[in-house]
Amino acid sequence: MDAPASHDQNADQVAYWNGPAGQRWADRQAAQDVLLKPVADLIVDRAGFQPGERVIDVGCGSGATAIAFAQAVEPTGRVLGIDVSGPMLERARQATPKDLPIDFVLADATVYPFEPASYDVLASRFGVMFFADPALSFANMRKALRPTGRLVFACWREPRENPFFMVPLAAAYKHVPKLPQQGPEDPGPFAFASEERVRRILGEAGFTGVEMEACPLLLDAAIGRGLDGAVQGALEIGPVSRALEGQPEDARAAVAASIREALTPFAKGDAVLLPASVWIVTARAS
């Protein structure tokens, strides 16, 4: 599958999301949609979509958020879902009902030539933390918004606020080397954890009225499939899966056993409820 045209600094991310990792995320589309639905619901609520509005879904992935946004703005509105991942967009196209007003484009939002001043809302669920130069990326996306346009997105807060990630990862680190330490401004899941940094980026990109709402959540890592489902999910995608790359099978087995032990206190019936916390960020185009 062809890779999208992208900013040079985003080449590593394009390669990652079009390689085996992107395929793994696409393969887990149904599970991720269930797991992260509470976050999508927050975005829909805070965005206040109206029928007839035009929306850009940045980092739309396998399409769950684009579908939710389209359902909120149909029948006369329309959603443009943009992502760099070919495997995930393929899944998005397969999952989208034919009658929903959605277009998908394989592209890097940093350089994509959006139709100027023609969209009402720029929205994203965890799709904006991976730009190498986020101020540049947001400045390009802001050009697509009407003067009355608005921005709403979800991003993860600090690792310490997210046992959802850190409990399985700490268990894995008993058996495999730690992942390379990321700098506070390196692209990645926690790149927008700092409120100060997010405000600076959006200000540099020309947005005003930035508001950041801390939203604590309990996410079911098992999506109703019990401890086995939670362990499988941790092994397949996310930081644990990256830490396990290239590790022997005995290490994987040891990690799985330790994760199961670490998650047992969070099990409630068939659910494994882990605390998580996100920022819901809102702003105006001008």
Side-chain angles (χ1 to χ4, degrees):
M1 185 173 293
D2 293 337
S6 66
H7 191 279
D8 290 347
Q9 290 179 296
N10 294 329
D12 288 348
Q13 291 293 326
V14 171
Y16 178 84
W17 292 106
N18 284 283
Q23 188 61 56
R24 285 196 298 270
W25 280 89
D27 291 343
R28 278 189 58 86
Q29 173 249 331
Q32 290 301 108
D33 289 352
V34 174
L35 174 66
L36 296 178
K37 185 177 185 299
V39 183
D41 291 344
L42 282 171
I43 296 170
V44 171
D45 179 75
R46 302 307 191 266
F49 296 116
Q50 299 296 316
E53 289 190 318
R54 299 185 73 196
V55 182
I56 300 172
D57 183 2
V58 184
C60 63
S62 295
T65 47
I67 290 170
F69 301 164
Q71 290 169 338
V73 302
E74 65 176 345
T76 54
R78 197 155 195 91
V79 173
L80 174 66
I82 183 169
D83 204 290
V84 298
S85 175
M88 296 179 77
L89 281 183
E90 184 176 353
R91 186 59 57 93
R93 294 185 176 102
Q94 294 168 356
T96 300
K98 299 300 183 187
D99 59 343
L100 274 184
I102 304 177
D103 302 301
F104 291 107
V105 60
L106 180 66
D108 176 0
T110 307
V111 297
Y112 184 72
F114 293 103
E115 184 181 350
S118 58
Y119 290 88
D120 302 287
V121 188
L122 183 66
S124 180
R125 182 185 66 185
F126 305 137
V128 297
M129 302 97 71
F130 302 97
F131 297 116
D133 187 343
L136 179 68
S137 304
F138 272 101
N140 186 56
M141 292 184 281
R142 189 180 67 84
K143 295 175 186 175
L145 290 173
R146 308 183 202 277
T148 55
R150 58 199 189 275
L151 167 70
V152 56
F153 66 83
C155 58
W156 297 108
R157 296 181 68 210
E158 296 87 349
R160 67 175 179 270
E161 301 285 348
N162 280 284
F164 172 74
F165 285 107
M166 305 316 293
V167 168
L169 189 59
Y173 282 163
K174 295 178 181 178
H175 308 284
V176 297
K178 291 186 176 182
L179 292 165
Q181 187 71 32
Q182 283 196 305
E185 301 204 358
D186 290 343
F190 298 109
F192 276 26
S194 165
E195 182 175 2
E196 179 184 1
R197 183 178 188 235
V198 172
R199 292 182 179 278
R200 170 169 54 83
I201 287 167
L202 295 181
E204 290 176 1
F207 287 93
T208 62
V210 178
E211 300 288 345
M212 298 183 66
E213 176 188 1
C215 295
L217 300 163
L218 280 177
L219 296 180
D220 180 10
I223 56 169
R225 299 184 303 173
L227 276 169
D228 288 343
V231 173
Q232 180 184 359
L235 296 175
E236 287 183 353
I237 58 174
V240 171
S241 71
R242 292 198 294 276
L244 283 174
E245 287 179 3
Q247 295 297 318
E249 193 56 41
D250 59 341
R252 295 181 64 87
V255 166
S258 286
I259 290 176
R260 185 181 184 88
E261 180 182 2
L263 294 182
T264 296
F266 299 93
K268 300 285 189 295
D270 289 331
V272 178
L273 299 173
L274 286 166
S277 191
V278 302
W279 291 116
I280 298 295
V281 183
T282 55
R284 298 188 298 273
S286 62

